[in-house]
Amino acid sequence: MTAITIQIPDSVLPVLHLDPAGFVQEMRLAAAIKWYELRRVSQEKAAEIAGISRADFITALSLAKVSPFQLTEDEVREELHDLY
């Protein structure tokens, strides 16, 4: 596993009411959700990045108001059209 070190101002953690471990977990989840939303990673890979199960990642997507589906509205229509 690769370790990455980032520096943040000392004032950030108290504002967010997080300890360093909580901050890392939230950063991993936020990055995973955003990369999933941008279609850069699959649900499985995003869950791995976040360090949670796929089911928990889908729940996190819902809480973040991000669709668990990577199809656009037009793609869904096209697939439905192909069924009939």
Side-chain angles (χ1 to χ4, degrees), residues 12-74:
V12 171
L13 295 180
V15 169
L16 295 173
H17 305 289
L18 293 171
D19 61 12
F23 181 80
V24 168
Q25 182 57 38
E26 282 198 21
M27 287 272 299
R28 288 177 64 180
L29 181 59
I33 288 171
K34 189 61 179 180
W35 290 332
Y36 177 78
E37 184 179 32
L38 294 173
R39 297 178 173 206
R40 293 187 64 192
V41 296
S42 66
Q43 279 183 7
E44 182 178 355
K45 186 55 68 179
E48 183 181 342
I49 291 166
I52 58 178
S53 71
R54 189 169 173 192
D56 287 342
F57 182 70
I58 291 169
T59 299
L61 287 174
S62 176
L63 293 172
K65 297 184 180 4
V66 174
S67 174
F69 305 107
Q70 287 192 322
L71 295 174
T72 66
E73 190 175 323
D74 289 338

